Amino acid sequence: MVDEFYIKRCLELASLAIGNVSPNPMVGCVIVHNSKIIGEGYHQKYGEAHAEPNAVKSVIERFGAEAEILLRESTAYVNLEPCAHFGRTPPCADLFVKHQLKKVVIGNRDPFSGVDGKGIEKLKNAGIEVISGILDDECREFNRRFFTRIQKQRPYIILKWAETANGYFATKDGHQKWISGALAKRLAHQWRTEEDAILVGKQTAIMDNPQLTAREWPGKNPIRLVIDKNLQVPQSNHIYNADAKTIIFNEVKTDVAGNIHYIQIEDMHFYLAQKIAFQLYLMDVQSVIVEGGAKILTQFLDTNLWDEARIFSSSERWDDGVPSPVINGHLKEQIQVGSDKLSIYKNIFN
């Protein structure tokens, strides 16, 4: 279980950068010499150094002149195959070859075509022992956003809503009425810092006038996405403020005005969910939370274009209202969040 232990440590390190490295994967690296960790690192921010050079740097800074000898006698653990191509940074596989590490243990092979086995091949050709596939399923689930974007050419799609105990999603007359409690709201704001974007429809943007920011949790705001076919949302509404980049999908125009980006999509009444998913893929948006309204959520459900659903159920009951979307997926877990119950579903059918 030694390899598994260190790969788990890689995941712990990598998780520190959630929300900050997209569209790259989250990666951690641990360097071990004689059963002792002598260096660690993780990919902290998109465009900056990857996990492997940060781990090697930590060894050099700690041990100075001894570092080169120690590295040659060490094993590097990394939850994703070291890259083999020049991107914003040099190939990490070349770095391990340069320092002549004895062994490299890997969680997942990288599905990106520029890597996909090429990093492993470079290491082996240099005489470095390579073991891969350690905690493969766990590592894949950890980087599910990255794997989805590369393999399915679309972002990882999370559906999120709150419903009453008797299955109502919103009021019939459209006025705003909170369903979930304060803790659920704070958790939802944490989620916003972890994903690239958040999507709502025109009616939600008009009736609720949401800010779609992470006001109650430290971290970045997601890109705000709004479906507004005929540009009917008043520009006095919160989505037009300067708090975050905002993309308006519409049939009228393509334009940029400060942080507001208008993207024209033809025939929005046909295959809208698919068109938006592919547009986001082209923009390197790796994950998106779809928050409503019910019509938009149902479009993603009906086209089976979702990966995960997070549903808050309140103990409150209403006499009437808009029925909640119907979910058909695998119930992964249920968690009590204050007075609300959170149910997390995975789509095992797409």
Side-chain angles (χ1 to χ4, degrees):
M1 300 295 291
V2 172
D3 288 346
E4 287 82 354
F5 173 84
Y6 290 121
I7 291 295
K8 281 181 180 289
R9 177 58 183 161
C10 291
L11 296 179
E12 289 176 357
L13 291 166
S15 68
L16 297 174
I18 188 168
N20 294 323
V21 298
S22 175
N24 284 352
M26 296 179 287
V27 181
C29 179
V30 176
I31 298 176
V32 179
H33 181 268
N34 288 342
S35 301
K36 291 183 179 180
I37 294 176
I38 61 170
E40 293 183 331
Y42 65 98
H43 183 29
Q44 298 178 24
K45 188 176 180 181
Y46 177 69
E48 296 183 0
H50 288 185
E52 297 91 334
N54 283 336
V56 169
K57 181 182 176 183
S58 74
V59 175
I60 293 171
E61 289 178 345
R62 182 179 177 187
F63 294 98
E66 296 179 65
E68 288 303 319
I69 295 172
L70 291 172
L71 287 168
R72 285 198 295 271
E73 298 171 349
S74 294
T75 297
Y77 292 85
V78 62
N79 59 288
L80 191 72
E81 177 181 3
C83 60
H85 65 296
F86 281 90
R88 287 176 175 262
T89 58
C92 295
D94 288 359
L95 181 69
F96 285 163
V97 171
K98 173 187 173 182
H99 291 286
Q100 299 176 298
L101 271 78
K102 181 175 66 174
K103 183 178 177 181
V104 176
V105 179
I106 297 166
N108 296 137
R109 275 179 60 146
D110 192 324
F112 177 59
S113 60
V115 186
D116 195 13
K118 297 181 179 70
I120 292 173
E121 184 180 7
K122 274 191 174 186
L123 296 172
K124 287 183 175 179
N125 288 343
I128 297 172
E129 180 185 355
V130 179
I131 297 175
S132 61
I134 304 299
L135 296 180
D136 187 82
D137 290 344
E138 188 173 332
C139 291
R140 184 180 297 269
E141 173 67 12
F142 177 77
N143 266 318
R144 58 194 181 277
R145 299 162 181 83
F146 174 72
F147 276 85
T148 298
R149 186 179 70 87
I150 296 298
Q151 296 177 331
K152 297 184 178 181
Q153 297 189 331
R154 64 166 177 80
Y156 187 83
I157 298 171
I158 300 166
L159 309 182
K160 178 259 173 182
W161 71 84
E163 61 187 28
T164 65
N166 53 340
Y168 289 123
F169 174 87
T171 59
K172 273 192 173 179
D173 61 8
H175 78 271
Q176 188 178 36
K177 186 177 180 181
W178 284 104
I179 296 175
S180 53
L183 279 177
K185 181 180 179 182
R186 193 156 189 256
L187 178 58
H189 282 220
Q190 178 187 343
W191 292 340
R192 291 177 182 181
T193 69
E194 296 172 349
E195 312 303 338
D196 286 356
I198 183 168
L199 172 70
V200 298
K202 175 196 70 180
Q203 285 301 115
T204 299
I206 292 175
M207 301 306 298
D208 293 351
N209 192 16
Q211 298 182 57
L212 304 183
T213 58
R215 303 177 303 284
E216 298 195 16
W217 194 265
K220 67 172 182 60
N221 288 326
I223 300 170
R224 300 180 293 200
L225 310 171
V226 182
I227 300 170
D228 186 8
K229 181 179 176 181
N230 297 309
L231 299 181
Q232 293 174 287
V233 178
Q235 295 211 359
S236 58
N237 281 30
H238 292 314
I239 61 160
Y240 280 101
N241 66 27
D243 289 347
K245 178 180 178 179
T246 302
I247 297 172
I248 313 291
F249 295 111
N250 68 94
E251 284 190 354
V252 179
K253 64 179 180 179
T254 294
D255 194 15
V256 177
N259 64 308
I260 311 298
H261 296 240
Y262 298 91
I263 296 182
Q264 185 177 18
I265 296 179
E266 295 182 356
D267 299 323
M268 291 180 71
H269 51 292
F270 291 120
Y271 307 110
L272 180 59
Q274 294 94 322
K275 289 175 179 177
I276 288 175
F278 187 62
Q279 182 67 48
L280 294 177
Y281 166 75
L282 295 177
M283 296 166 60
D284 277 342
V285 172
Q286 189 159 258
S287 63
V288 59
I289 302 173
V290 182
E291 281 211 359
K295 183 179 177 182
I296 300 299
L297 287 161
T298 299
Q299 286 191 56
F300 280 88
L301 286 165
D302 286 349
T303 55
N304 202 34
L305 200 57
W306 64 281
D307 299 286
E308 188 176 326
R310 302 172 182 176
I311 305 168
F312 289 109
S313 299
S314 169
S315 58
E316 186 176 350
R317 291 178 175 271
W318 291 356
D319 292 334
D320 64 3
V322 177
S324 299
V326 178
I327 191 79
N328 180 22
H330 169 69
L331 180 60
K332 182 183 177 185
E333 61 180 320
Q334 288 186 319
I335 307 165
Q336 196 67 31
V337 181
S339 58
D340 304 302
K341 180 178 69 177
L342 170 62
S343 300
I344 300 177
Y345 291 86
K346 300 285 286 187
N347 187 353
I348 59 174
F349 306 108
N350 66 3

